Amino acid sequence: MKKVGSGRLRLSNLQIVAIGYFCVCMIGTILLLLPISAVKGNTTLLQAIFTAVSACCVTGLVLVDTSTHWTLFGQLVIMILIQIGGLGFMTIGMRFMLLVRRRISLREREVMVESINAYQLGGIIRLTQEIVTGTLIVEGIGAALLAIRFIPEFGLTKGLFYSVFHAVSAFCNAGFDLMGIKEPFCSLVPYANDFLINFTVMALIIIGGIGFFIWEDLYKHGLQWKRYYLHTKVVLATTGILIFGGALLFFIFERSATGAEMPMKERMVSALFQSVTCRTAGFNTIDTGSMSEGSKLLSILLMFIGGSPGSTAGGIKTTTCAAFVLYMISGVRREGSATVFGRSLMPDALGRAISIFTINLGVVLIGALILCALQPFSGIDAMFEVFSAMGTVGLSTGITRQLTAASAGVITLVMFLGRVGSVSLASALLEKKAKPPVTLPTEKIIIG
Amino acid sequence: MKKVGSGRLRLSNLQIVAIGYFCVCMIGTILLLLPISAVKGNTTLLQAIFTAVSACCVTGLVLVDTSTHWTLFGQLVIMILIQIGGLGFMTIGMRFMLLVRRRISLREREVMVESINAYQLGGIIRLTQEIVTGTLIVEGIGAALLAIRFIPEFGLTKGLFYSVFHAVSAFCNAGFDLMGIKEPFCSLVPYANDFLINFTVMALIIIGGIGFFIWEDLYKHGLQWKRYYLHTKVVLATTGILIFGGALLFFIFERSATGAEMPMKERMVSALFQSVTCRTAGFNTIDTGSMSEGSKLLSILLMFIGGSPGSTAGGIKTTTCAAFVLYMISGVRREGSATVFGRSLMPDALGRAISIFTINLGVVLIGALILCALQPFSGIDAMFEVFSAMGTVGLSTGITRQLTAASAGVITLVMFLGRVGSVSLASALLEKKAKPPVTLPTEKIIIG
Ligand SMILES: [K+]
Ligand SMILES: [K+]
C-alpha cells in the first residue's frame, strides 16, 4: 500500500503554480479566440495568447486596444482573468507567509500565536474567504468612487461596467483600461487632471500592491506603529520612500518634458501618479513615450523593484530592495548583521534576496539583449519594455505594437516568468531546505 | 607618554587611500596646468582636474585629445599618473589579499604557509618590488611588440615613446591613447585590422586586469589546475566566460552595425577586442557611438562587472559577479551553501558581495539620473558614460566632450569613487570586524 503513495506523481509547489497558471492562460486564450470575443470576429493566435498571459499575469501590456478590439464578452474574459490572476497570487503569497510564520523565533511566536491558530483552525478556506472578502470590499468602494465620474460620462450600464473593470484592474495592479475608445492606447491620459479618478486609482493600486499581510496587521493594530511586525514596518517605510522619492524625481525630470505646459498642481499629481503606477500597476496619465530619458531610467528602476510580497504586484519586491540596502549599510559599518527598527534581519534573508535579485536581473538583461538583437529599438525602450514585462507593470514607450512575432513571444515568456516564475521561485525558496547542507571544505575568494 | 600616542591623528585604511589618491590627483592637476604641458599653453582648471583624475584613476575618459592638446611633457605626466595609479591599486589590492590569507581556514593555511611567510619576512617592500618587477617585464615585452609597428610608422624616438605609452596604458587598463594625431579621439580604430597591435594590447589588458594573485599562482603551479587556489580558478573561469561569451554576443549584435562591411576575420577580432576592452581597459577599435543598441547594453553590463580583484581593473569585479551567480544557484537548488570546484564559499563573501554590488549600482544609477537631469542625453548614452566612469573603463559614446562643467564634475566624482572609493571600501570590508555583533532580537521579513 505504501508503494502506491510513493508511486504517485509528486509535484513541487513550483510546478503546481506554474502548471496552474499555464492552464488558466490556455483557457483564456481559447475564450479570446472565439469569434464572439472580438468586435471584428478575428483575433490572431499571437494576439490571444499575448492578451491572455498579460491579463492572467496582471501585466497589462497589449498588442491590440482593449476597448476597441474586444467585445463586452472579451472584456469580461479579460476582467475575470485579471481577477483570477490577482487573487491567485495573493492567496499563494499568503500561504507562503504562513509557512514563514511557522518558523519564526520563539519570542515572535508567542506574540502572534493567536493569529496563526486562527488560520490553522479555519484552514486555507477561511483564509481565502478573508482575502476574497477584503478584495471585493475594496474593489466595490473603488468602483463606487469611479462611478461618480464614469456614469455621467458613459451612461448607467456602460459607466457601471467601466467602473468595475477599472477598479478590478487597478486593485489587481493589472493596468488594463478601456479608455481606448477616446484615443487608442491612451490609458488614463484623458483623466490627467481629474483628481477623483487619480486618487481613487492610486489608492486601489497601493492597497492591492502592499499585500494582505499588511492589511491584517493594520486592521489588528490600527495606528500603533510599535506593535506592527517588522515586515509591516519595512514594507510601509520602503513603500513610502519609493512613492514620495520617486514622485519628487519625476517632478524634476518632467519639468521641461511632459510637465512643461501643465499647471503646478497637475504636475505634482501626475508625478505622484507616475511614481505609484510604475510599481507595478501600469496605468499612465502622461504619455510614456514622450517622457524624458531620466524619467524612463527612473521608471525602469522602480519597475524592477515593484510592489510588496503577497500582493498583486510584481518585481523583486520592496523587502528585497530594503534587504539589499540594509545589508550594504551593515557591511559598510562593519556590523555583523543587518538591523532596522531595533531588530536584526534573519541571516537567511540575505541568500533569498540575492537569489531573487540575480534571477530577475538575469532574465531582464537577457530579454533586453535578445530584443535588441531581434529589432532595432533604442536600448532604453527595449529595456523599458522587458523590465515592464518582468515586473508585470505594463507600461510601454509604445514599442509593444511594433513587436514582431518572435519579439512578442519573448515578451510573453518574460511576462509569464515575471509573474509565475517569481512567485513559484519565492515559494520554493521559502520551503524548508530539502537538501542537507553541503559539507565541502570552505575556501575564500576575494570579493571586490 | 601614552597620551601622545593615543592623541595622534588616526586614519582608517579607507581614509589613507582616499587622501593619498586625492593628493596625487592634485599634484597631477597642477603639473597639467603648467604652460609647458599644453601645446597652446592654456588648459582650463576643469580640463586639468578631469584629465588628472582620469589618468590617476586609470579611467581614460578625456575632455581634450591626449595627443594634440598636450605636449610631450604633459603626456609624460599623464603616463606617470597612469603608472602610479595602476601600480598603487595593485599594491593596495595585494595587501588586502594578505589580510585575507591570514584569516583563511586551517586546511588552506597549511597549503600556503610558505608563500605567506615569504611575504611576512620580506614585508611590504619585497612584495612591492615583485609587483613592480612583474609590471616592468610585462610592459617591456608589450612595448617591444608594439614598437614593431610604431617605429616604422612614427620614427625611432616618437615610435619608442608611443610604444611605451600604449604598453603602460594598456597594462594599467587606463585606455589613454595618442592616436588622436590621425583623427581626434579615434583611439585604436586605425589599427582595427592590425592583428599584432590587437593581440598585444589585449594580452596586456588581460594580464593587467587579472590581478597579481593570479600571476603568482600561475607562476608557482604552472598549468596544474588542481593546485590553484579557489580564487584563481573562479577568476580564470569567470574571465574566460565573460571574454568569449561577450565576444560572441558582440559579434551577433554588430552583424548589421559596425561589422556590416568588415571581412569575417576582422569582425571576429574586433568583437573579441570589444569584449576584452569593456572590462575595463577603454581602448576601442570600432566607433563606440555607432555600435548597435544591443552592444551598448552589453558593454554597460561588462563595464559594471569589470576586472579581477587586486589588479589595475575596476568594476564590481569578476569574483563578485561569480559569487552572485553561485549564491543564486545554491538558493534555487535549496542548498545551504554556494559551492564551486568542490569547495564551499565562505559565508562572509555574501555580505561583501551585496555591499559592493549595491554601492556600485547605487552610485551609477544616481549618477545617470543626475546626468539625465542636467543634460538632454539619451538614457543609454548617459548610462554608458556613468557606468564607464564608475568601472574606470573610459569608453564613451562620444558625449564626454559635450559635458557642461556641472556634468563633468559629476563624472569626475564618479571616476574617483569608482576607483578610490571601491578600493578603500573593499579594504574596509576586509578588515576584521571592529564592532561586536549586534545582539538585537532577530525577526523575519518576507523576501520576494
Ligand atoms: K500591471
Ligand atoms: K580604463
Side-chain angles (χ1 to χ4, degrees):
Chain A
M1 288 302 252
K2 240 186 173 178
K3 251 190 175 172
V4 178
S6 62
R8 249 184 271 158
L9 180 64
R10 300 201 53 189
L11 294 170
S12 70
N13 260 357
L14 199 145
Q15 290 162 321
I16 293 170
V17 173
I19 292 171
Y21 269 89
F22 185 77
C23 294
V24 176
C25 289
M26 284 305 97
I27 295 168
T29 305
I30 292 165
L31 288 173
L32 290 178
L33 275 175
L34 295 177
I36 53 161
S37 290
V39 172
K40 289 184 183 163
N42 57 339
T43 304
T44 66
L45 183 62
L46 180 67
Q47 288 167 345
I49 291 180
F50 195 95
T51 308
V53 171
S54 182
C56 174
C57 297
V58 294
T59 308
L61 286 173
V62 285
L63 286 176
V64 294
D65 184 73
T66 313
S67 63
T68 51
H69 181 91
W70 307 107
T71 59
L72 180 63
F73 176 80
Q75 290 167 0
L76 272 173
V77 169
I78 290 171
M79 192 176 88
I80 291 165
L81 285 175
I82 291 172
Q83 189 71 85
I84 292 175
L87 273 178
F89 291 119
M90 289 197 74
T91 319
I92 298 165
M94 202 56 213
R95 290 184 66 171
F96 299 145
M97 286 179 190
L98 292 185
L99 278 175
V100 176
R101 288 202 195 165
R102 280 191 203 109
R103 289 185 294 129
I104 48 174
S105 68
L106 195 66
R107 201 193 142 280
E108 281 302 313
R109 192 182 292 264
E110 285 164 10
V111 179
M112 56 168 104
V113 66
E114 254 181 83
S115 75
I116 295 175
N117 283 349
Y119 285 126
Q120 283 177 338
L121 288 173
I124 199 69
I125 294 164
R126 181 160 162 184
L127 169 70
T128 311
Q129 275 176 349
E130 281 191 36
I131 292 181
V132 171
T133 312
T135 300
L136 292 182
I137 291 172
V138 176
E139 286 177 352
I141 296 171
L145 288 169
L146 293 178
I148 297 172
R149 283 288 187 280
F150 288 163
I151 291 181
E153 190 176 350
F154 300 104
L156 185 65
T157 330
K158 202 173 174 187
L160 218 52
F161 175 64
Y162 270 39
S163 303
V164 172
F165 185 95
H166 289 96
V168 170
S169 181
F171 179 82
C172 292
N173 277 247
F176 275 87
D177 67 89
L178 299 174
M179 293 307 159
I181 39 164
K182 289 163 182 269
E183 193 191 327
F185 306 104
C186 69
S187 191
L188 296 183
V189 173
Y191 298 95
N193 43 10
D194 186 329
F195 291 172
L196 174 71
I197 302 272
N198 267 273
F199 283 99
T200 305
V201 170
M202 276 194 271
L204 287 169
I205 292 171
I206 294 171
I207 296 171
I210 210 160
F212 182 79
F213 194 66
I214 311 295
W215 306 358
E216 192 210 11
D217 209 6
L218 292 187
Y219 179 76
K220 272 200 191 138
H221 299 121
L223 294 175
Q224 296 167 284
W225 176 264
K226 285 194 176 170
R227 298 190 60 191
Y228 293 162
Y229 298 124
L230 182 66
H231 177 75
T232 307
K233 292 178 190 171
V234 170
V235 166
L236 289 178
T238 314
T239 305
I241 292 168
L242 289 175
I243 288 178
F244 293 107
L248 180 67
L249 290 175
F250 278 123
F251 184 79
I252 295 169
F253 287 134
E254 292 304 307
R255 72 195 183 289
S256 51
T258 61
E261 288 163 19
M262 284 188 197
M264 179 58 89
K265 221 179 196 177
E266 204 178 306
R267 273 179 66 193
M268 287 168 65
V269 173
S270 69
L272 188 64
F273 192 90
Q274 181 65 20
S275 178
V276 169
T277 197
C278 261
R279 300 169 320 103
T280 61
F283 292 108
N284 53 294
T285 58
I286 50 176
D287 177 25
T288 313
S290 32
M291 285 198 307
S292 69
E293 295 286 297
S295 293
K296 286 184 188 170
L297 262 184
L298 179 62
S299 301
I300 288 173
L301 182 61
L302 291 175
M303 293 196 294
F304 186 70
I305 296 173
S308 301
S311 76
T312 56
I316 60 166
K317 303 292 177 323
T318 51
T319 47
T320 310
C321 172
F324 263 77
V325 173
L326 294 173
Y327 279 109
M328 178 200 77
I329 293 171
S330 80
V332 172
R333 284 197 190 155
R334 296 195 261 151
E335 289 166 351
S337 59
T339 58
V340 64
F341 298 127
R343 292 278 186 285
S344 295
L345 298 191
M346 302 276 272
D348 66 345
L350 191 57
R352 278 173 52 73
I354 276 207
S355 294
I356 286 170
F357 183 93
T358 312
I359 289 181
N360 273 268
L361 191 63
V363 171
V364 284
L365 289 178
I366 292 168
L369 289 174
I370 294 176
L371 210 59
C372 279
L374 290 172
Q375 288 185 265
F377 295 130
S378 102
I380 212 85
D381 286 352
M383 281 177 75
F384 199 100
E385 193 77 10
V386 178
F387 275 75
S388 174
M390 186 69 189
T392 66
V393 181
L395 289 175
S396 171
T397 55
I399 67 172
T400 317
R401 278 94 69 191
Q402 302 164 30
L403 295 177
T404 59
S407 309
V410 171
I411 295 293
T412 309
L413 186 64
V414 172
M415 289 196 290
F416 196 79
L417 284 177
R419 190 73 257 211
V420 179
S422 293
V423 167
S424 34
L425 175 71
S427 121
L429 289 176
L430 262 181
E431 282 172 28
K432 230 180 166 58
K433 286 192 176 21
K435 297 174 193 171
V438 180
T439 49
L440 292 171
T442 61
E443 186 172 343
K444 255 205 153 91
I445 61 171
I446 300 145
I447 301 281
Chain B
M1 287 302 251
K2 239 186 172 178
K3 250 188 177 172
V4 178
S6 62
R8 250 184 271 155
L9 181 64
R10 299 200 53 187
L11 294 170
S12 70
N13 259 357
L14 199 145
Q15 290 162 322
I16 293 170
V17 173
I19 292 171
Y21 269 91
F22 185 78
C23 293
V24 176
C25 289
M26 285 306 97
I27 295 169
T29 305
I30 292 164
L31 288 174
L32 290 178
L33 276 175
L34 296 178
I36 53 161
S37 291
V39 172
K40 290 182 185 164
N42 56 339
T43 304
T44 67
L45 183 62
L46 180 68
Q47 288 167 344
I49 292 180
F50 195 95
T51 309
V53 172
S54 182
C56 175
C57 297
V58 293
T59 308
L61 286 173
V62 285
L63 287 175
V64 294
D65 185 72
T66 314
S67 64
T68 50
H69 181 90
W70 307 106
T71 58
L72 180 63
F73 176 79
Q75 290 166 0
L76 272 173
V77 169
I78 291 171
M79 192 176 89
I80 291 165
L81 286 174
I82 292 171
Q83 189 72 85
I84 292 175
L87 273 177
F89 292 118
M90 290 196 73
T91 318
I92 298 165
M94 200 58 212
R95 290 185 65 172
F96 299 145
M97 286 178 189
L98 293 184
L99 276 175
V100 177
R101 287 201 196 164
R102 280 193 203 107
R103 288 185 295 127
I104 48 174
S105 68
L106 196 67
R107 201 192 142 279
E108 281 302 313
R109 194 183 292 263
E110 285 164 10
V111 179
M112 54 169 106
V113 68
E114 253 181 83
S115 73
I116 295 175
N117 283 349
Y119 286 125
Q120 283 177 338
L121 287 174
I124 199 68
I125 295 164
R126 180 159 162 185
L127 169 70
T128 311
Q129 276 175 349
E130 281 191 37
I131 293 182
V132 172
T133 312
T135 300
L136 292 182
I137 291 172
V138 175
E139 286 177 352
I141 295 171
L145 288 169
L146 292 178
I148 297 172
R149 283 288 186 282
F150 288 163
I151 290 181
E153 190 175 350
F154 300 103
L156 185 64
T157 330
K158 202 173 175 188
L160 218 52
F161 175 64
Y162 271 38
S163 304
V164 173
F165 185 95
H166 289 95
V168 170
S169 180
F171 178 83
C172 293
N173 276 247
F176 276 86
D177 68 89
L178 299 175
M179 292 309 160
I181 38 163
K182 291 164 180 268
E183 193 191 330
F185 306 103
C186 70
S187 191
L188 296 182
V189 173
Y191 298 96
N193 44 10
D194 186 329
F195 291 172
L196 174 70
I197 302 273
N198 266 274
F199 282 99
T200 306
V201 171
M202 276 195 272
L204 287 168
I205 293 170
I206 293 170
I207 295 171
I210 211 160
F212 182 78
F213 195 66
I214 310 296
W215 306 356
E216 192 209 11
D217 208 6
L218 292 186
Y219 178 75
K220 273 201 189 134
H221 298 122
L223 294 173
Q224 297 167 284
W225 177 264
K226 285 194 176 169
R227 298 191 58 192
Y228 292 163
Y229 298 125
L230 180 66
H231 177 76
T232 307
K233 291 179 190 169
V234 169
V235 167
L236 289 178
T238 313
T239 305
I241 292 168
L242 289 175
I243 288 178
F244 293 107
L248 181 66
L249 289 175
F250 278 122
F251 184 79
I252 296 169
F253 288 133
E254 292 304 307
R255 72 196 183 289
S256 51
T258 61
E261 285 164 21
M262 282 188 198
M264 179 58 91
K265 223 181 196 174
E266 204 178 309
R267 274 178 65 194
M268 286 167 66
V269 173
S270 69
L272 188 64
F273 192 90
Q274 180 65 20
S275 178
V276 169
T277 197
C278 260
R279 298 170 321 103
T280 60
F283 292 109
N284 52 295
T285 59
I286 51 177
D287 177 26
T288 313
S290 33
M291 285 198 308
S292 69
E293 295 285 299
S295 292
K296 286 184 189 171
L297 262 184
L298 179 63
S299 300
I300 288 173
L301 183 62
L302 291 175
M303 293 195 295
F304 187 70
I305 296 173
S308 301
S311 76
T312 57
I316 61 166
K317 304 293 178 320
T318 51
T319 46
T320 310
C321 171
F324 263 78
V325 173
L326 294 173
Y327 279 109
M328 179 200 76
I329 294 171
S330 80
V332 172
R333 283 196 191 157
R334 296 195 260 152
E335 289 165 350
S337 60
T339 58
V340 64
F341 298 126
R343 291 278 185 284
S344 295
L345 297 192
M346 302 276 272
D348 65 345
L350 190 57
R352 279 174 52 72
I354 276 207
S355 293
I356 286 170
F357 183 92
T358 312
I359 289 181
N360 273 267
L361 191 63
V363 171
V364 284
L365 289 178
I366 293 168
L369 288 174
I370 293 176
L371 210 60
C372 280
L374 290 173
Q375 287 186 266
F377 295 130
S378 102
I380 211 84
D381 285 352
M383 281 177 73
F384 199 99
E385 193 76 9
V386 179
F387 275 75
S388 174
M390 186 69 188
T392 66
V393 181
L395 289 175
S396 170
T397 55
I399 66 172
T400 316
R401 276 95 67 190
Q402 301 164 31
L403 296 177
T404 59
S407 310
V410 172
I411 295 292
T412 310
L413 186 64
V414 172
M415 288 196 289
F416 196 77
L417 284 177
R419 189 74 260 209
V420 180
S422 294
V423 167
S424 34
L425 175 71
S427 121
L429 290 176
L430 263 180
E431 281 172 29
K432 229 178 167 58
K433 285 188 178 25
K435 296 173 192 172
V438 180
T439 50
L440 292 170
T442 60
E443 186 173 341
K444 257 208 151 88
I445 61 170
I446 300 145
I447 299 282

